[in-house]
Amino acid sequence: MLDLLITNATLPDGRANMSVAVRGGRIAEVTQGLQAPAHESVDARGRLLAPPFCDPHFHMDSVLTYGNPRVNESGTLLEGIQLWGELKPTLEADGIVERALAYCDMAVAKGLLAIRSHVDTSDASLLAVDALLDVKRRVAHAIDLQLVAFPQDGVLRSRGGVDNLKRALDKGVDVVGGIPHFERTMAEGAASVKLLCELAAERGKPVDMHCDESDDPLSRHIETLAFEAQRLGLQGRVTGSHVTSMHSMDNYYVSKLLPLIAESGVAIVANPLINITLQGRHDTYPRRRGMTRVPELMRSGITVAFGHDCVMDPWYALGSGDMLEVAHMGLHVAQMTSVRGIRACFDAVTANAAKVMGLGGYGLEAGCDASFVLLQAKDVVEAIRLRANRLKVWRSGRLLAETAECAPVLHRPLK
Ligand code: FE2
């Protein structure tokens, strides 16, 4: 007897009339047209059944603080950092936990079951680190929450930066972060990349840094990150997030850089909603989009995923934990409008993001964890087009959330 059987589902790769059988929290079988006794059966009626959405880049310590103590008037990254600096001394652990849990509820309802969140380690009290470690334990039944030790004020630029970051890792933070473009000089930025990669190698941790989140084409810390990943044998464990400077770089230099990144096994995370919002703010017209070169990176064999980055915080007023909104913006900004391109954008918020996070047992195959989302859409293109309703969300075979099917009622139909 199966625990759960979902029939007549369409999978992200386009296979139709598929059945997914679940036993003991794992997928027992994925096959066409299977009928078998189960404690619970769900007829997907041809709808899309996808593995859960994954967000490989988020900031859960600042989520839902929008307007506190004021809004970001210039809309720039730097005013956001300044505003966060004003807000930090007023934060209390209970408030951080409460807001993070509220966001996790929003995420689960949207089928977002894995989040890599950066947590600011600049403050010696490590208040946010303790709060998010608590949140991580509390949501573990529903969400894989990974934490990145993120020295927002610069690991070398801020007093005690290295020590604070090490203490965060000691407490159980999973990943080593960084922000080389915010260090005082290019040389200090490069030194921070070397130091942080060496620390990760020493401790057996992955690396995920904010890297070159800048419109400056000469911000080339991604080159150092790729070099250090290769030198220290960290291939497959290092991620460069944002890398927006690549948008503005010279094509000749990029033609050298892409193979270097591919060779180093460094993955790239773009954050379309935030990149299109924060970058290009010093331009008149034409105004740069600022997002990194997603299709070119993908064509070079580099793993590229999309992150949400911010929801209602000093950097971004909007957002709802909807990774389909992220994919929708990503495909527009990157002009990935072919069917293949749209599918690649769906992968960027599912399979590729899971790969960046190193999630085991992810996918829709026998033996994988029985976590998936049933969408009110017939395929991945429609899912992105409509930012489709999440009808049901399961985690390890257990139903976590449901949203009623929605359809407009037209009082004066036109036909
Ligand atoms: Fe970020």
Side-chain angles (χ1 to χ4, degrees):
M1 180 77 113
L2 297 167
D3 296 329
L4 170 67
L5 178 66
I6 300 164
T7 57
N8 197 16
T10 301
L11 304 188
D13 62 10
R15 282 180 291 165
N17 191 26
M18 298 301 289
S19 298
V20 177
V22 174
R23 194 183 290 115
R26 300 219 152 252
I27 297 175
E29 197 177 348
V30 178
T31 189
Q32 203 159 32
L34 174 75
Q35 295 291 344
H39 289 295
E40 190 196 350
S41 295
V42 175
D43 181 356
R45 294 165 50 216
R47 260 70 183 263
L48 175 66
L49 186 74
F53 295 103
C54 304
D55 181 357
H57 188 108
F58 194 65
H59 294 264
M60 209 175 273
D61 48 2
S62 60
V63 72
L64 306 181
T65 60
Y66 178 70
N68 186 13
R70 60 184 178 84
V71 300
N72 182 337
E73 290 297 339
S74 68
T76 59
L77 171 70
L78 295 181
E79 186 178 340
I81 294 175
Q82 189 189 336
L83 181 47
W84 176 235
E86 292 168 27
L87 176 59
K88 268 195 282 189
T90 70
L91 294 179
E92 291 180 356
D94 288 352
I96 298 173
V97 170
E98 198 179 314
R99 286 184 286 96
L101 290 176
Y103 182 71
C104 287
D105 279 345
M106 289 163 62
V108 168
K110 296 286 188 189
L112 170 55
L113 303 188
I115 301 174
R116 175 178 277 185
S117 173
H118 296 254
V119 51
D120 190 349
T121 58
S122 303
D123 174 20
S125 76
L126 298 182
L127 179 84
V129 170
D130 289 329
L132 290 191
L133 283 168
D134 183 26
V135 170
K136 178 179 165 146
R137 283 187 288 272
R138 287 163 74 162
V139 303
H141 66 285
I143 296 177
D144 284 308
L145 176 58
Q146 282 182 3
L147 298 178
V148 185
F150 175 47
Q152 172 77 76
D153 299 337
V155 74
L156 298 176
R157 184 170 174 172
S158 64
R159 188 190 297 267
V162 177
D163 183 51
N164 293 344
L165 188 138
K166 283 182 177 170
R167 287 191 299 117
L169 297 175
D170 292 341
K171 282 174 178 278
V173 169
D174 309 279
V175 182
V176 176
I179 185 164
H181 55 277
F182 195 69
E183 301 293 350
R184 285 194 176 88
T185 63
M186 287 291 177
E188 285 270 279
S192 78
V193 172
K194 182 169 184 285
L195 178 154
L196 292 164
C197 286
E198 285 174 353
L199 180 63
E202 201 181 291
R203 298 207 178 198
K205 299 278 190 193
V207 175
D208 188 339
M209 4 189 121
H210 286 65
C211 192
D212 303 320
E213 187 179 4
S214 164
D215 290 320
D216 177 3
L218 297 178
S219 187
R220 295 176 170 187
H221 298 297
I222 182 62
E223 181 186 271
T224 309
L225 186 63
F227 174 77
E228 292 298 335
Q230 186 152 44
R231 180 178 74 85
L232 296 163
L234 295 173
Q235 288 93 338
R237 285 166 45 194
V238 178
T239 302
S241 285
H242 291 292
V243 202
T244 53
S245 67
M246 197 186 285
H247 186 93
S248 302
M249 284 173 182
D250 172 72
N251 284 346
Y252 187 87
Y253 174 66
V254 171
S255 75
K256 179 200 171 195
L257 183 59
L258 289 171
L260 274 182
I261 301 172
E263 195 185 348
S264 70
V266 169
I268 302 293
V269 172
N271 297 292
L273 292 165
I274 306 308
N275 300 152
I276 194 73
T277 307
L278 295 183
Q279 304 305 314
R281 287 279 179 165
H282 298 271
D283 292 358
T284 52
Y285 288 94
R287 182 170 286 182
R288 286 168 286 182
R289 300 171 187 209
M291 192 169 78
T292 195
R293 304 191 186 199
V294 172
E296 293 78 7
L297 286 158
M298 285 180 169
R299 276 201 295 274
S300 301
I302 296 158
T303 301
V304 182
F306 291 160
H308 204 315
D309 202 6
C310 302
V311 169
M312 296 184 70
D313 70 5
W315 295 272
Y316 190 56
L318 307 173
S320 62
D322 186 349
M323 295 307 290
L324 285 175
E325 193 176 306
V326 174
H328 187 267
M329 179 59 80
L331 86 85
H332 281 81
V333 178
Q335 298 182 325
M336 294 172 69
T337 48
S338 67
V339 174
R340 202 172 159 188
I342 296 174
R343 286 181 170 280
C345 290
F346 189 84
D347 289 345
V349 294
T350 52
N352 295 5
K355 192 173 172 195
V356 165
M357 292 182 67
L359 298 180
Y362 181 89
L364 279 184
E365 286 171 31
C368 289
D369 184 53
S371 297
F372 24 73
V373 187
L374 181 62
L375 294 117
Q376 192 180 340
K378 66 180 193 309
D379 56 28
V380 298
V381 176
E382 192 171 81
I384 294 180
R385 181 173 72 83
L386 301 175
R387 272 78 79 212
N389 213 359
R390 279 65 158 178
L391 298 171
K392 290 176 187 288
V393 179
W394 289 271
R395 163 90 167 189
S396 303
R398 210 160 53 86
L399 190 63
L400 285 186
E402 286 180 281
T403 303
E405 197 164 318
C406 65
V409 176
L410 294 175
H411 293 289
R412 300 182 65 186
L414 299 177
K415 66 172 186 182

